[in-house]
Amino acid sequence: MKLIDIRDKTAIVGVGNTPFRALYRKKDPRRNSYTLGLEAFESALEDSGLCKEDIDGVIINRIPSYTKMCVMAGIKNPRLTNIFEAAGRMSGIALQYAAMAVYTGMANVVACIYGNDGWSAGATYGGESQMIDSYNFPFGMTSPGASLALMWQRHMHEYGTSEDDLGVLAISQRKFASMNPNAVMRTPLTMDQYMSARYICYPLRIYDYCLINDGGVCLIVTTAQRAKECKKRPVYIMGTSQAANHTPYYHSPDYGWDAMKLVADQVYSMAGVGPKDIDCAQIYDNFLPTVMLSLEGYGFCPKGESGRWIRGGRIEPGGELPVNTSGGHCSESYMQGWALHAEAVRQLRGECGDRQVNDCEIVQYICSSPICSSHILRR
Amino acid sequence: MTQYTKPLPIPNDFDRPYWTALKKHELRMQKCLDCGEIWFPPNPVCPKCLSHNHQWIKLSGKGKVWSWVLFHQLYFPSFSEETPYNVIAVKLDEGPLMTSNMVECNNEDIYCDMLVEVFFDDVTELITLPKFRPAGRPKEV
């Protein structure tokens, strides 16, 4: 069956989030994903100008129970309710399901609510807290970061990219973060600091890893028609797509590029634009090599060229393709793609203050992981 | 002999032949008798054609380092004495990719595409782990 064209038929009409910087400063075991999600929901509702009674769809992520969340938010009979597993790849997917729901009329207005108390709860993403993996743990292999380290090591070998290419990216994202009052890490970074930082899993250093934090984000999605009645300028979903890369390990010898190509082909074709039309990109940076592999996988630059391509200010403030304009997961806060979505919306509305990209009309979100997803959003 | 404290595999119903073979110092993986696919990690059916007919064939134990890393972060306390330690992803000559450690080689001497051969490490009385060493060394006695 042919893909139904939903270009510009759905929109994000509200975004909200908790503070990130303040929450990072002090852990608090009483904090939980429900209260963080609720705070973000209230803020997104206010931002949209809608009232609670307008919300008839709820999708939650990383919050354990939709019933409890909906009880707390006083949403008793939503026509659509669902939960996505607590993985960062699900932020883009939640938005897709919300868009499909409002387009088909399964719901009129969907609130996508995310809450994460991982910082206060002491979340780790590797080691013995995870379920035993007989083919990896006995060798000390654990964590998705180590898989990205394997892929980056191989990429350096195959293409001649280098460790300091990642430094260029880290420094650029930090420049944006220095202009973001809500970013956790705002002090500018130098290449010397980057290169002398400790390794977590060689060849990756601490600056290549996202900042685990507490926080909440909420997006409110409705139809393009309904969006016109909302308080702020709608942000339309021009195109969206996903394709999985299900392999035995988090790393794969083709870097996940076959899945990225499937996503890129569909998202660009649905939106009717290409990489050259993108004014800024929000690219999932659980670990910085993910951004490099994505730039190559989506055709922003040829395979193996990302290291050279990002140099000379191209991805920095004022550059040709500003990337991760909030500072991203490695400098703003690890909100598993959700805060990258909020940043995309705010850039398109022109709400980003010092870090605002001039004449920002089209933004792309990209997440490369075991499920790859991408959207192209416009104002 | 001191107590072995590192994580150990937990053999299950369909991968027990893998661990049993390792105990005998053989690297065996499943080969589909219908389509010829060889796969790893172990799986109850052929992931290519879903056939239930497979044989645990003996592999050459030879391959190449697809990639490698050094763990500096201590995720497993039992690895503390050898941190930073290496982890390699080996592309076996027969096709599958597997995770392992390089032995008999300094960490700084590991490189991508390095030729390696399996080395059977009897870590406990019940478990032997398939590790790798640079190819072409004298055979173990």
Side-chain angles (χ1 to χ4, degrees), chain A residues 312-327:
Chain A
R314 187 176 248 141
I315 60 166
E316 293 186 9
E320 176 188 320
L321 181 78
V323 170
N324 292 343
T325 51
S326 60

Side-chain angles (χ1 to χ4, degrees), chain A residues 135, chain B residues 13-15 17-18 27-33 36-47 51-59 96:
Chain A
Y135 315 114
Chain B
D13 283 348
F14 62 85
D15 75 358
Y18 175 70
L27 182 62
R28 287 184 182 268
M29 290 184 184
Q30 292 156 291
K31 179 175 182 175
C32 178
L33 294 174
E37 177 82 354
I38 299 171
W39 66 85
F40 186 80
N43 201 53
V45 299
C46 170
S51 164
H52 285 248
N53 301 315
H54 64 259
Q55 198 175 4
W56 287 87
I57 62 155
K58 190 175 166 183
L59 303 192

Side-chain angles (χ1 to χ4, degrees), chain A residues 148-160:
Chain A
L148 266 301
L150 280 166
M151 287 199 280
W152 190 246
Q153 178 84 276
R154 180 71 199 182
H155 194 275
M156 292 194 293
H157 172 76
E158 274 188 58
Y159 296 106

Side-chain angles (χ1 to χ4, degrees), chain A residues 57-362:
Chain A
V58 177
I59 295 176
I60 62 167
N61 181 218
R62 208 180 167 114
I63 296 165
S65 157
Y66 39 73
T67 298
K68 185 173 172 187
M69 186 74 251
C70 287
V71 167
M72 287 174 76
I75 304 171
K76 183 169 178 292
N77 300 122
R79 297 165 58 220
L80 180 120
T81 307
N82 214 335
I83 180 170
F84 288 106
E85 65 159 343
R89 68 203 69 151
M90 292 302 173
S91 50
I93 290 162
L95 179 63
Q96 292 176 341
Y97 278 78
M100 289 191 282
V102 298
Y103 181 70
T104 59
M106 288 290 287
N108 292 320
V109 184
V110 177
C112 303
I113 310 174
Y114 170 79
N116 178 356
D117 59 5
W119 179 235
S120 290
T124 58
Y125 293 81
E128 275 150 1
S129 64
Q130 317 287 309
M131 200 165 65
I132 180 82
D133 176 339
S134 290
Y135 315 114
N136 288 288
F137 283 12
F139 307 101
M141 174 63 186
T142 185
S143 94
S147 280
L148 266 301
L150 280 166
M151 287 199 280
W152 190 246
Q153 178 84 276
R154 180 71 199 182
H155 194 275
M156 292 194 293
H157 172 76
E158 274 188 58
Y159 296 106
T161 41
S162 61
E163 289 178 48
D164 64 1
D165 289 338
L166 299 178
V168 172
L169 180 56
I171 291 164
S172 173
Q173 292 196 189
R174 186 60 62 87
K175 276 186 191 169
F176 281 114
S178 72
M179 297 184 277
N180 175 2
N182 198 21
V184 168
M185 296 289 174
R186 300 190 62 201
T187 311
L189 186 65
T190 66
M191 188 56 93
D192 281 348
Q193 283 169 326
Y194 175 84
M195 291 301 282
S196 57
R198 73 183 174 98
Y199 287 114
I200 300 297
C201 184
Y202 172 82
L204 301 191
R205 297 173 166 83
I206 189 150
Y207 290 117
D208 300 316
Y209 279 65
C210 59
L211 294 164
I212 294 170
N213 195 11
D214 298 332
V217 181
C218 176
L219 305 176
I220 295 177
V221 181
T222 189
T223 58
Q225 195 175 4
R226 183 102 198 238
K228 293 190 183 81
E229 301 157 18
C230 291
K231 194 161 94 185
K232 290 187 176 169
R233 187 178 199 167
V235 164
Y236 297 98
I237 301 174
M238 292 179 84
T240 188
S241 174
Q242 63 158 291
N245 183 39
H246 297 309
T247 58
Y249 311 100
Y250 197 93
H251 48 277
S252 57
D254 75 344
Y255 305 103
W257 283 334
D258 54 352
M260 289 184 220
K261 182 171 187 329
L262 291 169
V263 179
D265 286 350
Q266 180 176 317
V267 79
Y268 291 132
S269 134
M270 188 187 284
V273 300
K276 289 205 168 1
D277 303 306
I278 306 302
D279 295 316
C280 75
Q282 310 300 333
I283 307 181
Y284 201 90
D285 55 330
N286 46 358
F287 312 97
L288 289 181
T290 311
V291 176
M292 309 295 270
L293 299 175
S294 299
L295 287 168
E296 297 176 10
Y298 281 80
F300 287 96
C301 63
K303 302 280 165 66
E305 292 290 320
S306 56
R308 273 180 286 272
W309 195 81
I310 63 169
R311 287 173 192 260
R314 187 176 248 141
I315 60 166
E316 293 186 9
E320 176 188 320
L321 181 78
V323 170
N324 292 343
T325 51
S326 60
H329 292 135
C330 294
S331 282
E332 186 196 44
S333 184
Y334 178 52
M335 287 292 114
Q336 299 193 288
W338 288 93
L340 297 178
H341 282 85
E343 175 73 7
V345 170
R346 289 176 179 139
Q347 282 288 348
L348 288 165
R349 288 174 174 175
E351 295 176 342
C352 288
D354 293 344
R355 67 181 192 280
Q356 178 64 45
V357 173
N358 289 334
D359 301 321
C360 185
E361 293 179 350
I362 299 179

